[in-house]
């Protein structure tokens, strides 16, 4: 997954090849896809809240680790900058257990919408966010920060999009609360071109430890 700057903000562009799936075949090995029951209600214009109320945003502090207990994610977070062409750099493809945060964006837990991205697979097998599509509303995402606090987010929805229909306004819109988007490759898969979209988990801050 990569992003590029536009006047409206960040736009997700799917460029993942799904190397492991292409090399090993796709039968029975596709990453989980989000259930329609976990998506937004049809026609919804705003990110719906779960039944867990939001908590007050924290002061900005860099994220250092992400944990998603329901799918056994426990990975360090690296800083990502922009490539010469203006796209968002991605974590090293050879490291299956690392996520990335755009270093000039909103830190997780602070007021606004923060974005954490990671690979779905590499040539050796499933990567950090392979099981992102298996998450459900109400599951939690924990982000450990450099200030020693852990921001706990509750998932509002999980959706998959083809690249040509990626809803950048919904994903990246500014917020007066502390919100989080976790993004990986997904959607339709082609053995010729790889993944043709993204899976996005939407969550909001509900606790601080």
């Amino acid at each position: 997954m990569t992003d590029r700057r536009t006047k409206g903000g960040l736009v997700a562009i799917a460029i993942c090849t799904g190397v492991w799936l292409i090399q090993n075949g796709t039968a029975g090995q596709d990453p989980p896809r989000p259930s329609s029951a976990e998506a937004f209600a049809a026609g919804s214009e705003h990110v719906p809240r779960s039944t867990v109320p939001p908590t007050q945003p924290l002061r900005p502090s860099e994220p250092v680790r992400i944990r998603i207990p329901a799918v056994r994610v426990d990975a360090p977070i690296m800083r990502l900058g922009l490539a010469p062409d203006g796209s968002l750099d991605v974590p090293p493809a050879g490291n299956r257990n690392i996520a990335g945060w755009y270093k000039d964006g909103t830190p997780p837990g602070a007021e606004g919408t923060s974005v954490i991205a990671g690979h779905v697979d590499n040539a050796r097998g499933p990567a950090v966010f392979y099981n992102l599509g298996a998450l459900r509303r109400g599951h939690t995402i924990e982000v450990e920060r450099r200030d020693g606090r852990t921001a706990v987010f509750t998932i509002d929805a999980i959706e998959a999009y083809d690249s040509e229909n990626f809803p950048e306004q919904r994903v990246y819109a500014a917020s007066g609360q502390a919100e989080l988007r976790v993004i990986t490759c997904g959607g339709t898969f082609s053995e010729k071109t790889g993944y043709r979209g993204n899976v996005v988990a939407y969550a909001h801050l509900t606790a601080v430890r």
Side-chain angles (χ1 to χ4, degrees), residues 8-138:
L10 290 172
V11 179
I13 307 295
I15 60 167
C16 303
T17 59
V19 175
W20 176 64
L21 290 178
I22 292 173
Q23 291 182 347
N24 296 279
T26 62
Q29 299 182 33
D30 297 49
R33 296 190 180 187
S35 163
S36 60
E38 308 306 323
F40 296 119
S44 173
E45 296 181 359
H46 303 285
V47 176
R49 294 295 185 193
S50 72
T51 57
V52 183
T55 193
Q56 287 293 110
L58 300 169
R59 292 183 177 181
S61 180
E62 185 173 338
V64 296
R65 195 164 196 89
I66 183 170
R67 299 183 180 89
I68 311 178
V71 290
R72 299 182 179 180
V73 168
D74 186 351
I77 297 175
M78 65 178 291
R79 304 172 79 193
L80 299 177
L82 295 179
D85 65 357
S87 64
L88 180 67
D89 283 333
V90 294
N95 188 337
R96 290 192 290 169
N97 195 49
I98 192 167
W101 164 72
Y102 177 47
K103 63 184 179 65
D104 294 322
T106 301
E111 181 179 326
T113 301
S114 59
V115 178
I116 293 177
H119 293 293
V120 67
D121 70 6
N122 68 9
R124 292 186 295 150
V128 60
F129 291 149
Y130 184 84
N131 287 312
L132 194 67
L135 291 172
R136 300 289 182 264
R137 290 182 183 179

Side-chain angles (χ1 to χ4, degrees), residues 17-18 21-22 26 30 33 186-191 193-196:
T17 59
L21 290 178
I22 292 173
T26 62
D30 297 49
R33 296 190 180 187
T188 304
F189 181 83
S190 164
E191 291 189 20
T193 61
Y195 298 102
R196 299 171 62 185

